[in-house]
Amino acid sequence: GKAGACELISGGNILIKKGFIGRNKGTAKAAGDFFAKFIENVSVEAENVRIYEAVMHSKIKARDSIEVTEGKGLIVGGKITARNQITANLIGSSLATKTLVEIGMMPELKEKLKEAKDKNQKLIDDLNKIQKSVELLENIQKRGIKLPANKRHLLEKLETASVQLTDEKRENEAVLEKLKEEINVSTKALVHVK
């Protein structure tokens, strides 16, 4: 049937035989695929999104692909994001309606990558500060000056912190590499307007 200003959540697929008019309140989240005749003022997240006639003023995030090729096959207004492919007969409008199309990398992946890079830089900065403090205290000891108890305790804490931060940096770099691999997978992304 039809759907209106409602929230649809599915661990599998969502199928709406007619249309989904969300009035800027309608949302659909599917672990699987999303199918509808048309959508208007709706937010959709799914693996694949198949709309048979038109997408109007909606926000779609597809982890794989979006296809709007039957009937008018129109995407107009809103923001359309897919990892691998967006196919439609017509995208955008000559009117002042803004249609944003993003392909290749999901926004969440961009954000995770930015967070991992920022964290890595902070870890590098913190490690450099610790290393300078450790070197200062070790140089004092090398000159034959015995460190007071509080400075010896500080040196131990700094050395422990250095080991912990080094481990954390190594883990974060592994996360960075994994994210970069995911980004490289999406380099064959395609927008196809028939």
Side-chain angles (χ1 to χ4, degrees), residues 1 14 17 24 27 29 38 50 55 58 63 65 71-72 82 90 101 150 152 155-156 163 165 169 181 193:
I14 295 175
K17 287 190 176 186
N24 291 320
T27 62
K29 290 185 181 182
F38 70 90
R50 302 290 178 259
V55 173
S58 295
R63 292 179 297 280
S65 65
K72 293 177 187 172
L90 179 62
V101 176
N150 64 338
R152 284 194 310 270
L155 180 58
E156 289 172 10
V163 169
L165 287 176
K169 182 176 173 280
E181 285 174 18
V193 180

mmCIF file of all heavy atoms in Angstrom, residues 1 14 17 24 27 29 38 50 55 58 63 65 71-72 82 90 101 150 152 155-156 163 165 169 181 193:
data_model
loop_
_atom_site.group_PDB
_atom_site.id
_atom_site.type_symbol
_atom_site.label_atom_id
_atom_site.label_comp_id
_atom_site.label_asym_id
_atom_site.label_seq_id
_atom_site.Cartn_x
_atom_site.Cartn_y
_atom_site.Cartn_z
ATOM 1 N N GLY A 1 0.804 -1.182 0.000
ATOM 2 C CA GLY A 1 0.000 0.000 0.000
ATOM 3 C C GLY A 1 0.855 1.257 0.000
ATOM 4 O O GLY A 1 1.932 1.298 -0.566
ATOM 5 N N ILE A 14 12.248 -3.544 2.859
ATOM 6 C CA ILE A 14 11.008 -2.777 2.977
ATOM 7 C C ILE A 14 10.454 -2.622 1.563
ATOM 8 O O ILE A 14 11.170 -2.195 0.660
ATOM 9 C CB ILE A 14 11.239 -1.385 3.604
ATOM 10 C CG1 ILE A 14 11.705 -1.525 5.059
ATOM 11 C CG2 ILE A 14 9.967 -0.544 3.520
ATOM 12 C CD1 ILE A 14 12.070 -0.199 5.725
ATOM 13 N N LYS A 17 4.318 -0.780 -2.113
ATOM 14 C CA LYS A 17 3.834 -0.978 -3.484
ATOM 15 C C LYS A 17 3.443 0.325 -4.160
ATOM 16 O O LYS A 17 3.589 0.468 -5.352
ATOM 17 C CB LYS A 17 2.663 -1.953 -3.497
ATOM 18 C CG LYS A 17 3.094 -3.368 -3.252
ATOM 19 C CD LYS A 17 1.981 -4.332 -3.516
ATOM 20 C CE LYS A 17 2.506 -5.751 -3.345
ATOM 21 N NZ LYS A 17 1.527 -6.743 -3.724
ATOM 22 N N ASN A 24 8.338 15.380 5.249
ATOM 23 C CA ASN A 24 9.571 15.668 6.007
ATOM 24 C C ASN A 24 9.612 14.995 7.373
ATOM 25 O O ASN A 24 10.430 15.348 8.215
ATOM 26 C CB ASN A 24 9.796 17.181 6.152
ATOM 27 C CG ASN A 24 10.135 17.812 4.827
ATOM 28 O OD1 ASN A 24 10.872 17.232 4.037
ATOM 29 N ND2 ASN A 24 9.579 18.979 4.571
ATOM 30 N N THR A 27 10.501 8.303 7.596
ATOM 31 C CA THR A 27 11.828 7.694 7.531
ATOM 32 C C THR A 27 11.689 6.192 7.327
ATOM 33 O O THR A 27 10.723 5.577 7.777
ATOM 34 C CB THR A 27 12.659 7.938 8.810
ATOM 35 O OG1 THR A 27 12.001 7.334 9.920
ATOM 36 C CG2 THR A 27 12.877 9.419 9.064
ATOM 37 N N LYS A 29 14.398 2.725 7.450
ATOM 38 C CA LYS A 29 15.732 2.145 7.625
ATOM 39 C C LYS A 29 15.603 0.645 7.454
ATOM 40 O O LYS A 29 14.865 -0.010 8.194
ATOM 41 C CB LYS A 29 16.294 2.465 9.015
ATOM 42 C CG LYS A 29 16.643 3.926 9.196
ATOM 43 C CD LYS A 29 17.298 4.174 10.534
ATOM 44 C CE LYS A 29 17.603 5.653 10.679
ATOM 45 N NZ LYS A 29 18.279 5.958 11.923
ATOM 46 N N PHE A 38 7.249 5.482 -5.613
ATOM 47 C CA PHE A 38 7.855 6.813 -5.571
ATOM 48 C C PHE A 38 8.023 7.221 -4.122
ATOM 49 O O PHE A 38 7.383 6.665 -3.228
ATOM 50 C CB PHE A 38 7.007 7.859 -6.330
ATOM 51 C CG PHE A 38 5.712 8.202 -5.645
ATOM 52 C CD1 PHE A 38 5.650 9.239 -4.724
ATOM 53 C CD2 PHE A 38 4.561 7.488 -5.940
ATOM 54 C CE1 PHE A 38 4.452 9.547 -4.088
ATOM 55 C CE2 PHE A 38 3.359 7.791 -5.305
ATOM 56 C CZ PHE A 38 3.303 8.826 -4.385
ATOM 57 N N ARG A 50 15.538 0.890 -4.637
ATOM 58 C CA ARG A 50 14.932 0.795 -5.964
ATOM 59 C C ARG A 50 13.611 1.558 -5.927
ATOM 60 O O ARG A 50 12.675 1.151 -5.248
ATOM 61 C CB ARG A 50 14.651 -0.653 -6.362
ATOM 62 C CG ARG A 50 15.874 -1.543 -6.361
ATOM 63 C CD ARG A 50 16.827 -1.188 -7.508
ATOM 64 N NE ARG A 50 18.015 -2.011 -7.492
ATOM 65 C CZ ARG A 50 19.188 -1.616 -7.021
ATOM 66 N NH1 ARG A 50 19.335 -0.423 -6.503
ATOM 67 N NH2 ARG A 50 20.242 -2.408 -7.053
ATOM 68 N N VAL A 55 11.973 10.135 -7.188
ATOM 69 C CA VAL A 55 12.460 10.528 -5.868
ATOM 70 C C VAL A 55 12.393 12.050 -5.842
ATOM 71 O O VAL A 55 13.043 12.713 -6.646
ATOM 72 C CB VAL A 55 13.918 10.068 -5.643
ATOM 73 C CG1 VAL A 55 14.462 10.630 -4.346
ATOM 74 C CG2 VAL A 55 14.030 8.557 -5.682
ATOM 75 N N SER A 58 14.017 14.188 -1.271
ATOM 76 C CA SER A 58 14.253 13.164 -0.259
ATOM 77 C C SER A 58 15.742 12.987 -0.008
ATOM 78 O O SER A 58 16.583 13.447 -0.779
ATOM 79 C CB SER A 58 13.634 11.839 -0.702
ATOM 80 O OG SER A 58 12.236 11.950 -0.771
ATOM 81 N N ARG A 63 23.998 1.809 1.024
ATOM 82 C CA ARG A 63 25.323 1.236 1.251
ATOM 83 C C ARG A 63 25.877 0.601 -0.026
ATOM 84 O O ARG A 63 27.071 0.366 -0.135
ATOM 85 C CB ARG A 63 25.252 0.226 2.393
ATOM 86 C CG ARG A 63 24.975 0.890 3.737
ATOM 87 C CD ARG A 63 24.879 -0.098 4.894
ATOM 88 N NE ARG A 63 23.781 -1.046 4.793
ATOM 89 C CZ ARG A 63 22.510 -0.765 5.122
ATOM 90 N NH1 ARG A 63 22.185 0.443 5.552
ATOM 91 N NH2 ARG A 63 21.567 -1.678 5.015
ATOM 92 N N SER A 65 23.703 0.586 -3.838
ATOM 93 C CA SER A 65 23.280 1.314 -5.041
ATOM 94 C C SER A 65 21.864 1.881 -4.932
ATOM 95 O O SER A 65 21.070 1.447 -4.105
ATOM 96 C CB SER A 65 23.357 0.385 -6.256
ATOM 97 O OG SER A 65 22.418 -0.664 -6.110
ATOM 98 N N GLY A 71 9.343 4.298 -15.497
ATOM 99 C CA GLY A 71 8.517 5.492 -15.647
ATOM 100 C C GLY A 71 9.387 6.704 -15.925
ATOM 101 O O GLY A 71 10.264 6.681 -16.777
ATOM 102 N N LYS A 72 9.185 7.778 -15.173
ATOM 103 C CA LYS A 72 9.996 8.991 -15.355
ATOM 104 C C LYS A 72 11.452 8.745 -14.950
ATOM 105 O O LYS A 72 12.359 9.338 -15.499
ATOM 106 C CB LYS A 72 9.432 10.143 -14.519
ATOM 107 C CG LYS A 72 8.074 10.620 -14.972
ATOM 108 C CD LYS A 72 7.572 11.701 -14.039
ATOM 109 C CE LYS A 72 6.140 12.069 -14.383
ATOM 110 N NZ LYS A 72 5.553 12.966 -13.391
ATOM 111 N N ALA A 82 25.277 7.101 -2.455
ATOM 112 C CA ALA A 82 25.441 5.656 -2.622
ATOM 113 C C ALA A 82 26.919 5.318 -2.680
ATOM 114 O O ALA A 82 27.735 6.124 -3.120
ATOM 115 C CB ALA A 82 24.751 5.176 -3.893
ATOM 116 N N LEU A 90 16.740 10.700 -15.152
ATOM 117 C CA LEU A 90 16.933 12.142 -15.077
ATOM 118 C C LEU A 90 17.279 12.525 -13.643
ATOM 119 O O LEU A 90 16.599 12.101 -12.708
ATOM 120 C CB LEU A 90 15.646 12.870 -15.509
ATOM 121 C CG LEU A 90 15.653 14.393 -15.478
ATOM 122 C CD1 LEU A 90 16.702 14.949 -16.440
ATOM 123 C CD2 LEU A 90 14.280 14.928 -15.843
ATOM 124 N N VAL A 101 24.156 14.934 -5.266
ATOM 125 C CA VAL A 101 24.438 13.519 -5.516
ATOM 126 C C VAL A 101 25.865 13.238 -5.060
ATOM 127 O O VAL A 101 26.801 13.893 -5.496
ATOM 128 C CB VAL A 101 24.279 13.185 -7.018
ATOM 129 C CG1 VAL A 101 24.670 11.743 -7.291
ATOM 130 C CG2 VAL A 101 22.864 13.461 -7.491
ATOM 131 N N ASN A 150 60.281 12.662 43.585
ATOM 132 C CA ASN A 150 59.114 13.052 42.773
ATOM 133 C C ASN A 150 59.449 13.050 41.276
ATOM 134 O O ASN A 150 58.615 12.717 40.442
ATOM 135 C CB ASN A 150 58.550 14.401 43.217
ATOM 136 C CG ASN A 150 59.507 15.551 43.014
ATOM 137 O OD1 ASN A 150 60.717 15.376 42.915
ATOM 138 N ND2 ASN A 150 58.959 16.759 42.938
ATOM 139 N N ARG A 152 61.810 11.077 39.856
ATOM 140 C CA ARG A 152 61.945 9.665 39.464
ATOM 141 C C ARG A 152 60.564 9.071 39.222
ATOM 142 O O ARG A 152 60.349 8.336 38.252
ATOM 143 C CB ARG A 152 62.686 8.870 40.542
ATOM 144 C CG ARG A 152 64.193 9.110 40.565
ATOM 145 C CD ARG A 152 64.944 8.080 41.399
ATOM 146 N NE ARG A 152 64.402 7.874 42.736
ATOM 147 C CZ ARG A 152 64.756 8.549 43.826
ATOM 148 N NH1 ARG A 152 65.694 9.484 43.738
ATOM 149 N NH2 ARG A 152 64.218 8.294 44.999
ATOM 150 N N LEU A 155 59.281 10.341 35.942
ATOM 151 C CA LEU A 155 59.939 9.650 34.835
ATOM 152 C C LEU A 155 59.289 8.284 34.593
ATOM 153 O O LEU A 155 59.019 7.914 33.447
ATOM 154 C CB LEU A 155 61.437 9.498 35.115
ATOM 155 C CG LEU A 155 62.272 8.796 34.031
ATOM 156 C CD1 LEU A 155 62.155 9.514 32.697
ATOM 157 C CD2 LEU A 155 63.724 8.684 34.476
ATOM 158 N N GLU A 156 59.002 7.551 35.661
ATOM 159 C CA GLU A 156 58.340 6.248 35.523
ATOM 160 C C GLU A 156 56.959 6.406 34.882
ATOM 161 O O GLU A 156 56.589 5.626 34.002
ATOM 162 C CB GLU A 156 58.210 5.569 36.895
ATOM 163 C CG GLU A 156 59.523 5.082 37.463
ATOM 164 C CD GLU A 156 59.375 4.595 38.911
ATOM 165 O OE1 GLU A 156 58.219 4.463 39.394
ATOM 166 O OE2 GLU A 156 60.417 4.359 39.549
ATOM 167 N N VAL A 163 54.633 4.058 26.544
ATOM 168 C CA VAL A 163 54.342 2.693 26.068
ATOM 169 C C VAL A 163 52.852 2.574 25.713
ATOM 170 O O VAL A 163 52.491 2.041 24.657
ATOM 171 C CB VAL A 163 54.754 1.647 27.131
ATOM 172 C CG1 VAL A 163 54.223 0.270 26.781
ATOM 173 C CG2 VAL A 163 56.272 1.616 27.280
ATOM 174 N N LEU A 165 50.672 4.993 24.952
ATOM 175 C CA LEU A 165 50.332 5.802 23.778
ATOM 176 C C LEU A 165 50.873 5.179 22.489
ATOM 177 O O LEU A 165 50.229 5.251 21.446
ATOM 178 C CB LEU A 165 50.845 7.234 23.940
ATOM 179 C CG LEU A 165 50.094 8.108 24.936
ATOM 180 C CD1 LEU A 165 50.764 9.466 25.079
ATOM 181 C CD2 LEU A 165 48.637 8.277 24.542
ATOM 182 N N LYS A 169 48.586 4.205 19.448
ATOM 183 C CA LYS A 169 48.887 4.727 18.109
ATOM 184 C C LYS A 169 48.942 3.584 17.098
ATOM 185 O O LYS A 169 48.416 3.696 15.994
ATOM 186 C CB LYS A 169 50.204 5.491 18.139
ATOM 187 C CG LYS A 169 50.581 6.124 16.821
ATOM 188 C CD LYS A 169 51.859 6.954 16.976
ATOM 189 C CE LYS A 169 52.356 7.467 15.660
ATOM 190 N NZ LYS A 169 53.100 6.483 14.894
ATOM 191 N N GLU A 181 41.480 1.067 3.078
ATOM 192 C CA GLU A 181 41.143 -0.057 2.206
ATOM 193 C C GLU A 181 39.676 0.020 1.786
ATOM 194 O O GLU A 181 39.342 -0.210 0.628
ATOM 195 C CB GLU A 181 41.408 -1.387 2.917
ATOM 196 C CG GLU A 181 42.864 -1.743 3.026
ATOM 197 C CD GLU A 181 43.099 -2.985 3.869
ATOM 198 O OE1 GLU A 181 42.141 -3.766 4.096
ATOM 199 O OE2 GLU A 181 44.245 -3.178 4.317
ATOM 200 N N VAL A 193 23.245 8.311 -15.820
ATOM 201 C CA VAL A 193 21.989 8.963 -16.192
ATOM 202 C C VAL A 193 21.687 8.527 -17.617
ATOM 203 O O VAL A 193 22.478 8.764 -18.538
ATOM 204 C CB VAL A 193 22.101 10.502 -16.100
ATOM 205 C CG1 VAL A 193 20.777 11.139 -16.487
ATOM 206 C CG2 VAL A 193 22.515 10.906 -14.696
#
